[in-house]
Amino acid sequence: VLVPILLKAIKRLNSWITDENANRVVRNIIQIQASSVLEANEKIQGILEKGTTIIQDKLDGMGNKSQDVHLIDYGKIDNNEFNVVRQFRVLHFKENKPDIVLFINGLPIVIIECKSPTLRNPMAEGMLQIFRYQESEDKYRNVGCPKLFNTAQIVVSTFKDQTKFATNYTQERHWSEWKIPHPYTLDDLQKKLGRLPSSQDIFLFGVCSKKTLLDIIQNFMRRIASKPSLD
């Protein structure tokens, strides 16, 4: 987590929040109580979608009460900060460097592994690298950076112009290509690029545009029944 960016976003999107409570939200995101990465990811996805709550007096005459805290502004895209980091360094038991990480308000959301097309099976190698980062099997224990996936919503393997995506811990056989670059049609995208769009083009325009990525997080990821609390 890029803590200064996340802290700034919380204060920007929740102008009433005290410094103490803003820091409490950040701390509880980083140190979320969960027995596994999947449980942590489910809790944080609910927070990304619906927000969380804290107890605070907003000095409105209502006293201390539960207040909603939002980490993402889905209504005004420009209220959010989007960052792309290449070779993002993550230290666990050893250092890992995912090739590309997309952040929203300081939270790593999309993890992309890029492989050389000269490999025998570059797509599978990219997926395998993601599995190592996740420590998805016992044989990968202490070689990856599993906490990076507490907040990740989409994982990607790509080489040359081919791309497949999945959500956390999806088995290899269920990874797939993105087919439609909404809101563009394939013809629209071909005109924009001046060539036939590749699998990679379709994924980037269809998933990684700011508006679409926020829409996916808010409306198409697994929902949980009630708003989680970080009190």
Side-chain angles (χ1 to χ4, degrees), residues 99 111-116 119 121-134 149 155-159 164 172 175:
D99 289 323
I111 315 299
I112 302 175
E113 191 65 20
C114 308
K115 290 299 179 184
S116 168
L119 295 173
N121 191 339
M123 187 65 74
E125 285 293 326
M127 295 178 192
L128 183 61
Q129 186 65 65
I130 294 289
F131 299 153
R132 290 194 194 102
Y133 292 148
Q134 293 172 328
F149 297 87
V155 294
V156 182
S157 175
T158 186
F159 72 96
K164 286 189 176 182
E172 181 176 344
W175 288 54

Side-chain angles (χ1 to χ4, degrees), residues 10-221:
I10 290 170
K11 292 179 178 179
R12 182 172 65 252
L13 303 182
N14 309 274
S15 59
W16 48 268
I17 198 167
T18 64
D19 288 348
E20 180 183 0
N21 277 334
N23 279 288
R24 180 176 290 114
V25 172
V26 170
R27 185 167 58 251
N28 282 280
I29 289 289
I30 294 172
Q31 302 172 357
I32 192 152
Q33 297 300 301
S35 60
S36 67
V37 173
L38 279 177
E39 183 184 352
N41 186 267
E42 182 176 359
K43 287 183 175 182
I44 290 177
Q45 199 285 322
I47 294 169
L48 294 178
E49 178 192 348
K50 299 179 180 181
T52 185
T53 60
I54 58 166
I55 302 298
Q56 183 178 313
D57 187 346
K58 294 173 72 172
L59 304 178
D60 56 4
M62 302 297 291
N64 277 333
K65 58 179 292 189
S66 180
Q67 311 287 357
D68 292 334
V69 180
H70 298 285
L71 274 62
I72 295 177
D73 190 335
Y74 292 100
K76 296 181 180 179
I77 294 175
D78 291 340
N79 268 355
N80 303 291
E81 183 169 344
F82 297 83
N83 301 98
V84 181
V85 180
R86 183 170 63 89
Q87 295 288 302
F88 183 60
R89 302 173 67 180
V90 186
L91 182 63
H92 186 40
F93 284 91
K94 60 179 291 186
E95 184 177 82
N96 289 267
K97 291 189 288 187
D99 289 323
I100 301 172
V101 180
L102 310 186
F103 293 82
I104 300 177
N105 293 338
L107 297 167
I109 298 296
V110 182
I111 315 299
I112 302 175
E113 191 65 20
C114 308
K115 290 299 179 184
S116 168
T118 62
L119 295 173
R120 182 176 180 181
N121 191 339
M123 187 65 74
E125 285 293 326
M127 295 178 192
L128 183 61
Q129 186 65 65
I130 294 289
F131 299 153
R132 290 194 194 102
Y133 292 148
Q134 293 172 328
E135 297 187 359
S136 61
E137 298 180 38
D138 286 343
K139 63 183 178 181
Y140 303 137
R141 188 180 300 277
N142 298 338
V143 302
C145 47
K147 286 190 176 181
L148 179 65
F149 297 87
N150 284 357
T151 61
Q153 302 295 294
I154 298 171
V155 294
V156 182
S157 175
T158 186
F159 72 96
K160 198 174 181 180
D161 57 4
Q162 299 299 306
T163 300
K164 286 189 176 182
F165 78 100
T167 53
N168 262 336
Y169 291 88
T170 298
Q171 296 181 1
E172 181 176 344
R173 66 180 180 273
H174 295 305
W175 288 54
S176 59
E177 290 183 277
W178 197 265
K179 299 297 185 181
I180 302 295
H182 181 79
Y184 298 100
T185 65
L186 290 174
D187 287 342
D188 290 337
L189 189 54
Q190 181 173 346
K191 291 176 183 176
K192 184 177 183 67
L193 297 173
R195 56 174 169 77
L196 285 173
S198 68
S199 168
Q200 190 178 85
D201 296 324
I202 293 168
F203 174 80
L204 290 174
F205 280 88
V207 175
C208 296
S209 64
K210 295 176 182 179
K211 182 177 180 180
T212 304
L213 187 54
L214 292 186
D215 186 31
I216 289 171
I217 295 169
Q218 184 182 31
N219 298 308
F220 295 95
M221 289 294 176

